[in-house]
């Protein structure tokens, strides 16, 4: 019921100096470009066009903040690994995401989105290293599980992912399997977010 309350776009920040005050609990969403981040945020909030999904992967080049019921914030971090921009520009907005992770005292949990069809890639391992170094609690969220052939395949990807994160110091020991299109796993993810933010 919480996400039936107002959820609105608050602001986009292109530098750490432009972040809103750290006065509300926040959860952040990170992932490879084209992993379904905007779709997941829309599904979690029950909105259709809150986070704008782009047809050109790698378009999120700022940190976008959405506020839910003036109680917590959902934070959309810049995607990584695919943007068709120069290396300097790419490093700039990916470093912004890393700086946010290191310097945000009100960040309660990060959600690292992984396309269930492809599993963890090397570029995802780099993101996990950043989370571990920043000592930020993060949970793996598998997206697009409706594209897999069967529930057995979903279970297999979940088990494989759990095995790969078992020794990661900041990894939350549960993997969420979701489908934004079908709504699978979304109520459970909402509950995880509210618990992390102690709402």
């Amino acid at each position: 019921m919480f996400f039936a309350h107002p959820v609105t776009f608050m602001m986009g920040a292109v530098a750490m100096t432009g972040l809103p005050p750290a006065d509300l609990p926040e959860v952040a969403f990170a992932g490879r470009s084209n992993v379904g981040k905007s779709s997941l945020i829309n599904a979690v909030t029950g909105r259709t066009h809150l986070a704008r999904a782009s047809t050109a992967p790698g378009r999120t080049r700022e940190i976008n903040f959405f506020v839910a019921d003036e109680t917590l914030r959902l934070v959309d971090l810049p995607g990584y690994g695919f943007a068709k921009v120069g290396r300097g520009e790419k490093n700039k907005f990916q470093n912004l995401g890393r700086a946010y992770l290191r310097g945000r005292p009100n960040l309660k949990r990060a959600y690292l989105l992984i396309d269930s069809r492809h599993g963890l890639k090397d570029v995802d391992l780099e993101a996990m290293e950043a989370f571990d170094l920043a000592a930020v609690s993060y949970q793996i969220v598998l997206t697009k599980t409706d594209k897999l052939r069967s529930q057995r395949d979903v279970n297999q990807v979940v088990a494989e992912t759990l095995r790969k994160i078992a020794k990661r110091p900041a990894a939350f020991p549960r993997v969420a399997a979701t489908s934004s299109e079908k709504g699978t796993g979304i109520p459970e993810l909402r509950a995880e977010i509210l618990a992390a933010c102690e709402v």
Side-chain angles (χ1 to χ4, degrees), residues 111 139 174 176-178 183-194:
Y111 294 94
Q139 182 172 6
R174 204 158 51 229
T178 67
T184 311
I186 299 301
E188 293 84 354
L189 183 57
R190 287 174 178 152
E192 297 270 13
I193 290 168
L194 296 177

Side-chain angles (χ1 to χ4, degrees), residues 78-140:
Y80 56 82
F82 200 81
K84 294 179 180 177
V85 296
R87 178 169 290 182
E89 178 72 8
K90 186 188 291 188
N91 286 343
K92 180 181 170 186
F93 65 77
Q94 290 184 0
N95 286 340
L96 174 61
R98 289 192 187 98
Y100 168 85
L101 292 173
R102 282 195 305 270
R104 200 66 174 161
N106 56 326
L107 176 61
K108 300 302 181 184
R109 182 165 302 150
Y111 294 94
L112 180 60
L113 277 54
I114 303 295
D115 189 323
S116 60
R117 298 169 298 179
H118 308 306
L120 289 167
K121 301 282 189 188
D122 287 346
V123 70
D124 298 317
L125 299 179
E126 287 178 30
M128 289 160 67
E129 293 284 352
F131 287 129
D132 288 334
L133 283 171
V136 171
S137 169
Y138 63 96
Q139 182 172 6
I140 304 290

Side-chain angles (χ1 to χ4, degrees), residues 6-24:
V7 184
T8 55
F9 174 73
M10 182 183 181
M11 61 174 290
V14 295
M16 288 294 286
T17 51
L19 299 187
D23 54 355
L24 289 177

Side-chain angles (χ1 to χ4, degrees), residues 18-34:
L19 299 187
D23 54 355
L24 289 177
E26 291 173 354
V27 294
F29 296 84
R32 280 201 311 272
S33 303
N34 221 21

Side-chain angles (χ1 to χ4, degrees), residues 162-184:
L162 280 169
R163 187 182 65 77
K164 288 183 176 178
I165 66 169
K167 293 182 179 175
R168 296 238 162 224
F172 193 70
R174 204 158 51 229
V175 170
T178 67
S179 164
S180 300
E181 198 170 304
K182 304 288 187 187
T184 311

